[in-house]
Amino acid sequence: MNSKKSIGALALLTAGAFALTACQQGSSSGGGGGGSEDGAVTLQFQSLSDQPATQEAVSSAVEQWNSDNPDVQVEIIQAGWDGAYDKLITQFTGGTAPDIVHFDGASIVSFAQDGYLADLSGGLSEERIADVPQGIWDAVTVNEEIIAYPSTLQSYIAFANVDLLEEAGVEVPTGETMTWDELAEIAEATTTDDVYGIGWGLGSPAATVMTLAPGFGGDFFSGTGEDVQIEVGDAELEVPERIHEMAYEDESLDPVSLTQSGSDVLASFYGGTVAMTVQGSFQATNIANDAPEGFNWVALPPLEGSEGALQAVNPQTYSVNIDSEHVDEATAFLDFFASGETMAAIAQADALIPASESARAVVAEETGGEDGWDQILASADGMVGAPFLQADGYAEWKETTLNPALQQYLGDQIDSEQLAQQLTDGWG
Amino acid sequence: MNTNMKTPLPVTVLQYLALGGFLLFLGFPVLWIVSASFKSSAELNSLSANLIPNEWVFTNFTTALERQNLLTSAGNSFLVAVSTMVIAVIVTLPMSYALARLRGKLRAAGTVWILATQVFPQILIIIPLFLVLRTLMLNDTLLGLILVYVTFTLPFTLWMMQGYVAAVPRELEDAGSMDGASRFKVLVHIVFPLLRPGLMATAMFTFVSAWNEFFLALVLLQSPELFTLPITLRAFLGAEGQTQLGPLAAGAVLATIPSLIVFSFLQKKLTGGMLAGAVKG
């Protein structure tokens, strides 16, 4: 009797579940937008913005566009960063990619090389193109086509505990830039029995090393697409060698921090067990929000190598699906969306640097340079396009070769020659 | 022979200590995440490793609920997980019986097929799967996701259940047949009741698999209103490695509750030893 009841309940449950699920039709399952009954075009815009304030800025711009353009309506599809690459590759391959795609430079280039993205150069206004430095455009140019609009970017910045520097008798650097030698000297000077001069979260060191490499002329790659050649010489090894030196020769860099994430190291920074920390610039906002009351901190000037205070740019991007039925309308929307005000609002909400000069001016004015924004914005002047962005297979090499090899080197398991060998052998 | 020998007290104490240690080991991550869900961002980013928050903060829960549409996602996850569980159990039951009891080439082929399907990584078949679902107009639907989950869990549940079926002595079925019961009656009244623990274990496995699955849901669902919990929770992990630890912990705590309810319901039924003494040697 009981078993009959159970079977009946199960059957009922299944039928009910199916009835419910069958009714659940997604609103975003099309391959891009399309027309509607009233003849208006609907564009699908897949946004990865995850901060409430960023989402608000994006929504506000879209609402403005929709009210100004009744014939071309934009629908936001909210997605997340995690797994975005897998999602996009499935969408593009399956022909269901949205009209407008939000991603980042290092990852979007491979989609362009596979022919999934439209050339924006004819559709973006001269004003928009002139508003972004050429070095940043280079990062989103593939085969002489602009395949994305670069919106925001991050640099790597050193943050310092002012009290610990002063205790050590070190003057806080205030120049336009700060050399790597100065960083090492300050780290040594502030190292005591209880405090390391610097904590650097390099659990996944690839992005940091590749971003800072141009400061010493480290290119790693030459050529584009499938014809890329790798070369790991002195210039390319400079950044990891200097970090290694601080950790194992000067003993001024906390070696434990080399196994942690940037966010993990912030706890040591707030706790006063490291005097400085190098972080993504976006962490300035987190420091301002989470640091203990009275914590006296400052963002130090951008790090300068032998070639200048240069860093590889890897911007967040907005692209147009080449298979969209409305490429021109989507590009026109992007041109509107890329206004200084919208980009400034997004950048501030995400604590990132706007790619465009006009948006940077807005951020500078609105923040007054507080909470490290002065140095963060200054670091954007040294942003350059990096060859690795154009290298076919870079993303795979980064995960399978670069990260593990750097982890071994920074863990003092291999020397720099072995590091160079591994990086070279691991490429294609 | 005296089978009621008392365990010496020191041994009992050691057993309980070992059990306590094991529970602590398993339970600590859960305790930590509950603790983190009540901590402020500043405390979470400090060096203190206290389990009891210095200041109890509830905003993480409100943020999690307001920000990410958590309740809708929880509903979707529950629907998908329960549907997957029910369908998988209903399909697995007769199939596993056939697999365990029948002999011949078809059975061998079936066994090979089950093992072969376990070899392919998800990433390898995700695009063909996506295209098939698109053709069937089932991409971006929960029904499509349920069917995919059933397909993916079926080989393992079959393997699991056929072990339980094989453990049921044939003599019980023979006895039933000799008493005049038809094959169907034997299955319904003798075999299936004995398989209840196995069914519960299978049900738990499929529920948890579907409840926790991220990758397939991420790729197959496009509409935010259909997102399942793992996708929604990942939204607390931003670009550039930003993590909103407090809301993420709060979301994870909330996400655990339905799972706990299902488990507390199912584990009562998960009793072994039903076959003890069923067949006298």
Side-chain angles (χ1 to χ4, degrees):
Chain A
M1 196 68 202
N2 264 349
S3 66
K4 277 184 185 174
K5 276 184 182 173
S6 301
I7 291 166
L10 279 180
L12 199 66
L13 197 60
T14 312
F18 261 112
L20 277 167
T21 52
C23 296
Q24 302 259 25
Q25 292 295 328
S27 61
S28 317
S29 48
S36 67
E37 285 176 13
D38 57 4
V41 167
T42 302
L43 302 174
Q44 291 182 340
F45 171 20
Q46 186 163 285
S47 167
L48 305 180
S49 297
D50 45 16
Q51 301 294 318
T54 321
Q55 290 176 355
E56 206 175 301
V58 171
S59 295
S60 168
V62 168
E63 281 167 23
Q64 182 64 54
W65 167 272
N66 286 345
S67 75
D68 293 350
N69 299 272
D71 294 340
V72 182
Q73 296 292 287
V74 174
E75 173 199 6
I76 299 171
I77 299 170
Q78 191 60 52
W81 281 98
D82 204 27
Y85 183 84
D86 295 319
K87 193 178 178 84
L88 273 176
I89 203 160
T90 312
Q91 287 176 323
F92 276 118
T93 312
T96 62
D99 302 280
I100 301 146
V101 172
H102 178 193
F103 210 23
D104 74 78
S107 310
I108 201 70
V109 162
S110 63
F111 289 103
Q113 285 161 342
D114 289 340
Y116 289 123
L117 304 179
D119 179 13
L120 306 179
S121 50
L124 291 175
S125 62
E126 283 180 23
E127 182 195 352
R128 292 283 175 261
I129 290 178
D131 203 14
V132 175
Q134 188 55 46
I136 300 176
W137 280 123
D138 291 344
V140 290
T141 303
V142 175
N143 300 330
E144 295 177 8
E145 291 183 349
I146 294 176
I147 51 93
Y149 179 83
S151 59
T152 53
L153 33 112
Q154 75 145 335
S155 60
Y156 285 90
I157 291 276
F159 296 95
N161 180 329
V162 175
D163 294 340
L164 287 178
L165 264 63
E166 285 175 353
E167 268 176 44
V170 175
E171 197 176 324
V172 178
T174 53
E176 284 189 9
T177 58
M178 176 180 70
T179 64
W180 278 80
D181 290 339
E182 278 180 85
L183 179 76
E185 284 163 18
I186 297 170
E188 271 201 280
T190 48
T191 299
T192 66
D193 290 344
D194 305 319
V195 177
Y196 275 104
I198 190 165
W200 201 328
L202 289 171
S204 296
T208 309
V209 168
M210 295 303 283
T211 302
L212 293 169
F216 293 99
D219 286 337
F220 283 91
F221 298 104
S222 56
T224 56
E226 290 176 8
D227 303 324
V228 166
Q229 302 296 314
I230 190 167
E231 189 185 343
V232 184
D234 292 346
E236 285 75 22
L237 292 170
E238 192 76 35
V239 170
E241 278 178 344
R242 282 174 176 265
I243 295 169
H244 189 277
E245 195 176 313
M246 285 193 279
Y248 300 105
E249 289 178 36
D250 304 346
E251 294 183 343
S252 59
L253 191 154
D254 180 2
V256 173
S257 70
L258 294 173
T259 66
Q260 296 177 309
S261 71
S263 300
D264 293 338
V265 178
L266 282 180
S268 306
F269 185 56
Y270 302 148
T273 58
V274 298
M276 292 184 294
T277 179
V278 180
Q279 299 277 349
S281 53
F282 68 88
Q283 295 282 26
T285 301
N286 290 334
I287 297 172
N289 292 336
D290 296 334
E293 210 169 318
F295 185 74
N296 191 4
W297 66 278
V298 68
L300 297 178
L303 279 170
E304 183 183 5
S306 57
E307 303 295 311
L310 304 180
Q311 295 194 28
V313 64
N314 179 19
Q316 285 190 29
T317 57
Y318 295 99
S319 303
V320 171
N321 175 3
I322 201 166
D323 293 327
S324 163
E325 292 171 21
H326 310 287
V327 170
D328 292 344
E329 289 88 343
T331 310
F333 165 75
L334 262 192
D335 197 65
F336 165 86
F337 185 74
S339 73
E341 292 73 22
T342 301
M343 288 298 124
I346 287 172
Q348 272 182 268
D350 275 340
L352 293 169
I353 306 162
S356 68
E357 304 281 3
S358 61
R360 231 178 279 173
V362 173
V363 173
E365 190 185 338
E366 289 186 356
T367 60
E370 295 294 310
D371 292 336
W373 273 105
D374 52 349
Q375 300 294 10
I376 291 168
L377 292 172
S379 71
D381 295 337
M383 289 291 179
V384 292
F388 70 81
L389 287 172
Q390 309 292 331
D392 227 358
Y394 167 74
E396 191 186 344
W397 175 78
K398 176 185 150 189
E399 293 307 323
T400 57
T401 302
L402 180 60
N403 251 329
L406 283 170
Q407 283 163 346
Q408 287 178 66
Y409 176 67
L410 296 176
D412 208 24
Q413 303 298 305
I414 57 174
D415 61 24
S416 59
E417 270 180 41
Q418 290 169 302
L419 170 65
Q421 193 63 48
Q422 281 195 30
L423 298 186
T424 309
D425 293 347
W427 181 256
Chain B
M1 186 176 146
N2 184 7
T3 53
N4 294 329
M5 277 181 67
K6 236 184 149 191
T7 314
L9 186 65
V11 174
T12 307
V13 170
L14 281 174
Q15 283 175 334
Y16 274 100
L17 277 175
L19 183 66
F22 185 61
L23 283 175
L24 196 68
F25 175 74
L26 288 179
F28 183 78
V30 180
L31 283 176
W32 186 87
I33 209 150
V34 171
S35 160
S37 69
F38 290 105
K39 286 180 177 177
S40 66
S41 180
E43 192 177 350
L44 282 168
N45 285 294
S46 72
L47 282 174
S48 61
N50 49 316
L51 206 58
I52 309 294
N54 293 330
E55 181 195 353
W56 290 78
V57 170
F58 295 89
T59 49
N60 291 329
F61 287 91
T62 51
T63 305
L65 288 168
E66 285 168 8
R67 277 267 321 271
Q68 302 293 0
N69 218 2
L70 211 66
L71 291 177
T72 307
S73 300
N76 292 337
S77 272
F78 195 74
L79 192 63
V80 168
V82 169
S83 304
T84 304
M85 177 180 83
V86 171
I87 297 165
V89 166
I90 288 172
V91 173
T92 299
L93 196 52
M95 283 176 82
S96 60
Y97 182 81
L99 206 63
R101 288 286 190 252
L102 302 182
R103 290 285 171 266
K105 286 179 181 174
L106 197 63
R107 179 188 178 275
T111 308
V112 170
W113 169 76
I114 289 167
L115 290 172
T117 55
Q118 296 293 284
V119 172
F120 298 104
Q122 283 182 351
I123 195 84
L124 198 70
I125 58 169
I126 190 67
I127 290 171
L129 187 70
F130 185 84
L131 295 172
V132 168
L133 284 173
R134 194 184 168 203
T135 307
L136 295 170
M137 296 183 73
L138 283 174
N139 67 321
D140 201 27
T141 65
L142 293 182
L143 183 58
L145 190 66
I146 290 165
L147 293 177
V148 169
Y149 282 176
V150 169
T151 309
F152 270 89
T153 54
L154 211 53
F156 189 79
T157 55
L158 267 174
W159 202 248
M160 215 165 137
M161 273 304 295
Q162 70 105 24
Y164 282 99
V165 175
V168 175
R170 275 180 181 272
E171 290 85 344
L172 292 176
E173 293 178 55
D174 295 341
S177 300
M178 284 173 74
D179 289 340
S182 65
R183 168 60 72 96
F184 183 73
K185 270 195 171 175
V186 166
L187 289 179
V188 171
H189 295 290
I190 297 173
V191 179
F192 289 172
L194 293 174
L195 290 177
R196 188 181 289 177
L199 285 173
M200 289 306 147
T202 306
M204 278 184 176
F205 170 79
T206 48
F207 181 88
V208 172
S209 299
W211 181 262
N212 290 332
E213 204 284 327
F214 169 73
F215 181 68
L216 291 167
L218 171 85
V219 172
L220 299 176
L221 298 176
Q222 316 270 355
S223 307
E225 68 268 22
L226 298 183
F227 284 174
T228 53
L229 260 178
I231 303 176
T232 304
L233 287 176
R234 300 284 177 123
F236 290 113
L237 305 175
E240 320 292 0
Q242 296 179 71
T243 308
Q244 298 158 278
L245 204 51
L248 178 64
V253 168
L254 292 170
T256 310
I257 292 168
S259 209
L260 283 175
I261 291 168
V262 169
F263 263 67
S264 60
F265 173 74
L266 288 181
Q267 65 94 27
K268 290 176 190 167
K269 314 259 181 204
L270 191 67
T271 48
M274 291 183 67
L275 298 177
V279 183
K280 294 276 185 197

